[in-house]
Amino acid sequence: MQLKTTWMGTFLGWIVLMAVSVGYADVDFSGLTAGVRADRIQGTVEALSDVDSRVVGYPGHDKAAQFVLDQFRAIGLRDVQTEEFTVSVPMDKGAHLQVLEDGRQMRLFGMWPNLVRTPSLPLEGIHGDLIYGKKGWYSDFNGMGVEGRVVLMDFNSSNNWLNPAMLGAKAIVFIEPDSTVYMEAEDKFLTVPLSVPRFWIGKEDGQALLELLQRGPAQVAMKGRMIWERVPAKNILGWIPGTDPELKDDVIVLESYYDGMSVVPALAPSAEMSSGIAALLELAHFFREHPPSRTLLFLATTGHHFGLRGIDAFLQRHDRKEDPFIERMTKSFNRFDERTGEEKTEEGPRIKLFIGLDLSSKTDELGVWNSSTEFYFKRYFAPYGRKFMAISKEVSKALGRNPKHTLANGISPESGMSWETYVPGDISVDSELVLATGTPALSFVTINDARFAVDTPLDTPLKVNIGNLTRQVRFLAGLFHAAFGDPEFFPDFQMRLKDKLMTLEGSIMTFPRRSIVPDRPRKGAVAVLHNAKKKSYKGVRGEFYEVVDDEGRFEISRIRVRNVELEGFYMDPYSGHITYAPERGVQGDKSYPMKFAMDWRYKKWMTVVFPCIGTDF
């Protein structure tokens, strides 16, 4: 009897699969997706990356936000709106190097902080002899005194800048290379607050300094400031209502981020990083021309590279499922009433599926991933994987592509593969956070692409392969059109996902003169929550940073791990030095531990800091 039941189940499964395939085979996917335009995708990439920096808080980021908002409106998305939140960002206020011999000034750019310690110099600046340290090996300094000098170095030198730092260098200046990779960028900053200032200088100015040093010793003066600030940011939302009377109440979110990141925050064109948002805008064009059966919410987030801050802001407003977060939700969206011509606020529908786009352009191959390696989630999302793979075969054939190299099933990989084998190096996707709130979430990610240029100042439009990106978007248009119109797209789940996202309400305090209670807020401090395995995931920073308010308080609402560590630092705005650091003694860490467990959904905690004079070891 058992054998008969198993055989019948398999037989019926084949019937269903054949019926699905035949249904999709009737669709002219080639003609349907012919309107996906490479020139429009290229125009988006160039418009977004034709700026100095798309890091949150910098002028280029604000231009990008306005561009995306204008595009949402021009495409004709319904009820377009923005939702503001804040991000704590190291803001480069400007830096320069002056050659004292002839008075020439050259622009410098601060590097990403060592934990919180920015490359800020004292207000009066510094001066000293300039030497060339080449790749930074100890042998490169033979015959030179390093202590108290400014060291000029090649950027592509791994983490060898630590060698002149240990020898007492006053500052380090990296010369822009012809090309570089994100591993070099990650090597240029630490997760400890080492106070050695590090700067980037353009190729031409760097070459001029090398020529100067060939003629003999040179003296230089330097000034530079980078300070942590809490800056405004905004997510952008727009709708396309579903056309099917029975399916239109199903809301599917299509999302990508529009911000960028670089190890040199003021130089972040982030062209490769604009692939996802370019795809999102082109898909919005597609679905306006071919209205979907189900309702689509197009979501452009920012703050992605600051520990997924943007998608977190959206989730806290609209998609929490546990107390005390439910009562804090906004829940509503601004909707336009066509009958009255007025805008009104309506309670938002529950999101049935979230799909994040995290694309790049060095291949045209995609993978669908369930944003987790846990077996429980693999079982839950396996039906989605099978459904997308069945549709993919028909779309691929219609577009003249090999189905084996169009879409990989990262949910249930075949032939002993794992998701990590498809994506060289770790990335962090927004759907991971959505899944943590108990909402079904998938990611479509470009696979077999190491994304070497990301997180560097050299991530420019010329390096983006528009052909590969267009083929991905065209395939996704056909895939999503078929899937979102399929009445059987959503499986009849017996399993339920849980909201496991946690929030920390913290404070950074110091002791008053005559008290054993640390009740004096350290205004202007920067709180750091250590909660990741790596310091960076191809531009997405692993630590969470928050500038505290006047009461010394802050909130971090996107915690997914059980054990965390909280530190606080205050940097003098004039010298740039850390003047308050974590108290690790009896009255500090022993009484108010910096390492603790997130054993409540909403937890309050305090870290004690004390006035100090920084010393590097």
Side-chain angles (χ1 to χ4, degrees):
M1 187 67 180
Q2 180 62 41
L3 287 173
K4 183 178 179 181
T5 302
T6 302
W7 178 85
M8 284 297 293
T10 304
F11 178 70
L12 290 173
W14 276 108
I15 291 177
V16 171
L17 182 58
M18 289 174 63
V20 167
S21 298
V22 170
Y24 297 142
D26 293 339
V27 180
D28 178 15
F29 288 109
S30 179
L32 181 71
T33 62
V36 173
R37 289 170 43 184
D39 64 322
R40 208 154 46 197
I41 294 172
Q42 182 172 1
T44 297
V45 171
E46 291 177 349
L48 290 174
S49 51
D50 187 25
V51 293
D52 288 335
S53 175
R54 220 162 64 243
V55 173
V56 180
Y58 289 77
H61 172 268
D62 296 337
K63 292 180 181 178
Q66 189 61 49
F67 175 84
V68 174
L69 181 61
D70 291 343
Q71 288 295 303
F72 270 31
R73 290 170 174 163
I75 291 168
L77 298 187
R78 293 274 299 276
D79 304 313
V80 175
Q81 66 184 93
T82 61
E83 296 182 340
E84 291 198 358
F85 57 98
T86 60
V87 185
S88 294
V89 177
M91 295 296 299
D92 192 335
K93 299 299 184 179
H96 69 266
L97 177 149
Q98 184 178 31
V99 179
L100 296 183
E101 179 183 22
D102 54 19
R104 278 184 294 171
Q105 276 200 5
M106 301 175 180
R107 189 175 180 184
L108 300 175
F109 300 89
M111 305 290 289
W112 184 265
N114 286 328
L115 193 62
V116 299
R117 178 55 166 99
T118 70
S120 279
L121 300 173
L123 204 58
E124 67 275 12
I126 62 172
H127 67 275
D129 293 334
L130 181 70
I131 61 174
Y132 179 38
K134 301 179 183 177
K135 297 288 185 182
W137 299 106
Y138 282 120
S139 58
D140 292 330
F141 298 103
N142 285 344
M144 301 186 214
V146 178
E147 186 172 3
R149 294 184 168 182
V150 176
V151 178
L152 189 65
M153 281 184 62
D154 300 336
F155 183 81
N156 291 336
S157 53
S158 187
N159 62 356
N160 285 352
W161 64 273
L162 291 169
N163 294 335
M166 287 190 283
L167 294 173
K170 188 174 286 187
I172 296 168
V173 179
F174 296 106
I175 303 173
E176 174 189 346
D178 292 327
S179 64
T180 191
V181 294
Y182 72 88
M183 294 87 83
E184 286 286 353
E186 291 181 4
D187 280 336
K188 299 303 181 292
F189 64 95
L190 305 176
T191 54
V192 293
L194 188 69
S195 63
V196 177
R198 295 144 298 116
F199 297 90
W200 168 285
I201 193 169
K203 188 186 304 181
E204 292 184 5
D205 286 339
Q207 186 60 40
L209 290 178
L210 290 177
E211 293 172 0
L212 178 68
L213 290 174
Q214 288 177 355
R215 300 197 298 267
Q219 280 203 329
V220 297
M222 295 171 58
K223 288 188 176 183
R225 293 188 73 215
M226 179 186 285
I227 59 176
W228 285 91
E229 293 182 351
R230 185 182 291 173
V231 299
K234 56 189 174 187
N235 293 330
I236 306 167
L237 300 77
W239 299 79
I240 296 182
T243 58
D244 188 286
E246 296 183 0
L247 302 180
K248 66 180 182 180
D249 290 336
D250 293 344
V251 175
I252 299 174
V253 176
L254 286 180
E255 179 268 352
S256 192
Y257 55 85
Y258 67 86
D259 63 312
M261 179 53 78
S262 168
V263 70
V264 187
L267 294 177
S270 305
E272 195 72 66
M273 291 175 168
S274 67
S275 298
I277 189 64
L280 186 75
L281 291 175
E282 191 61 24
L283 288 171
H285 277 286
F286 172 82
F287 279 110
R288 277 289 294 158
E289 296 169 3
H290 307 280
S293 299
R294 292 179 165 91
T295 297
L296 299 183
L297 169 57
F298 287 83
L299 173 62
T301 61
T302 187
H304 169 81
H305 297 94
F306 288 86
L308 313 184
R309 179 70 182 94
I311 189 62
D312 169 61
F314 174 81
L315 294 171
Q316 301 302 330
R317 278 189 169 98
H318 303 294
D319 200 31
R320 299 306 306 273
K321 303 169 186 66
E322 299 287 348
D323 292 329
F325 310 113
I326 292 178
E327 61 190 34
R328 303 174 68 190
M329 285 169 51
T330 304
K331 299 182 183 178
S332 58
F333 295 95
N334 294 331
R335 308 303 292 266
F336 181 75
D337 191 327
E338 293 182 342
R339 294 176 303 171
T340 63
E342 297 178 352
E343 189 177 84
K344 60 182 180 180
T345 300
E346 294 181 356
E347 185 166 333
R350 182 170 181 178
I351 298 166
K352 198 152 188 181
L353 178 65
F354 176 97
I355 296 178
L357 305 178
D358 203 315
L359 308 185
S360 55
S361 72
K362 295 303 181 289
T363 75
D364 59 4
E365 302 172 66
L366 287 160
V368 56
W369 187 42
N370 60 293
S371 310
S372 175
T373 56
E374 293 185 30
F375 180 71
Y376 176 89
F377 292 121
K378 285 187 177 296
R379 290 175 57 210
Y380 183 94
F381 287 101
Y384 284 115
R386 290 193 294 268
K387 179 73 71 173
F388 278 122
M389 295 308 294
I391 304 172
S392 172
K393 291 179 182 178
E394 302 303 330
V395 178
S396 299
K397 291 176 184 177
L399 298 181
R401 299 185 59 183
N402 185 343
K404 293 183 179 179
H405 302 294
T406 306
L407 182 67
N409 187 352
I411 300 170
S412 305
E414 300 176 352
S415 306
M417 301 281 281
S418 67
W419 178 247
E420 289 74 17
T421 61
Y422 292 117
V423 183
D426 292 329
I427 64 171
S428 184
V429 295
D430 286 328
S431 57
E432 297 172 14
L433 209 62
V434 180
L435 183 60
T437 66
T439 293
L442 295 170
S443 287
F444 280 80
V445 179
T446 308
I447 60 173
N448 301 320
D449 181 0
R451 309 185 185 199
F452 283 123
V454 302
D455 205 8
T456 76
L458 305 185
D459 183 6
T460 57
L462 291 176
K463 296 183 174 68
V464 177
N465 188 319
I466 298 298
N468 281 341
L469 186 54
T470 303
R471 282 188 287 276
Q472 293 178 67
V473 178
R474 193 177 181 196
F475 169 77
L476 286 173
L479 185 76
F480 290 161
H481 186 272
F484 299 164
D486 185 349
E488 305 299 325
F489 176 60
F490 289 109
D492 184 15
F493 292 114
Q494 300 299 317
M495 306 163 65
R496 290 293 178 263
L497 303 178
K498 295 182 179 180
D499 187 340
K500 298 181 178 179
L501 209 59
M502 297 170 286
T503 292
L504 174 68
E505 181 185 316
S507 56
I508 305 298
M509 297 289 180
T510 187
F511 288 98
R513 286 188 177 183
R514 293 181 177 86
S515 175
I516 60 171
V517 178
D519 59 358
R520 190 173 69 179
R522 180 53 271 182
K523 177 182 175 181
V526 180
V528 185
L529 190 73
H530 301 274
N531 75 132
K533 296 179 181 178
K534 297 181 65 176
K535 62 183 176 182
S536 185
Y537 296 83
K538 293 187 179 174
V540 178
R541 300 298 184 247
E543 273 81 23
F544 295 161
Y545 303 92
E546 287 293 339
V547 177
V548 307
D549 63 18
D550 291 350
E551 302 298 321
R553 302 187 186 282
F554 65 94
E555 184 175 278
I556 295 175
S557 54
R558 57 197 186 279
I559 303 171
R560 290 177 285 161
V561 298
R562 184 79 169 175
N563 298 307
V564 298
E565 181 179 4
L566 177 64
E567 292 187 293
F569 300 88
Y570 176 78
M571 281 147 289
D572 182 83
Y574 300 102
S575 69
H577 293 305
I578 292 174
T579 54
Y580 281 81
E583 165 64 74
R584 300 182 183 273
V586 174
Q587 292 180 310
D589 186 41
K590 302 302 180 185
S591 302
Y592 307 92
M594 289 183 287
K595 293 183 179 180
F596 55 93
M598 289 296 298
D599 45 10
W600 296 90
R601 293 193 190 106
Y602 189 93
K603 186 162 186 170
K604 296 184 179 182
W605 206 255
M606 176 174 62
T607 284
V608 181
V609 297
F610 75 106
C612 68
I613 297 175
T615 302
D616 294 322
F617 289 93

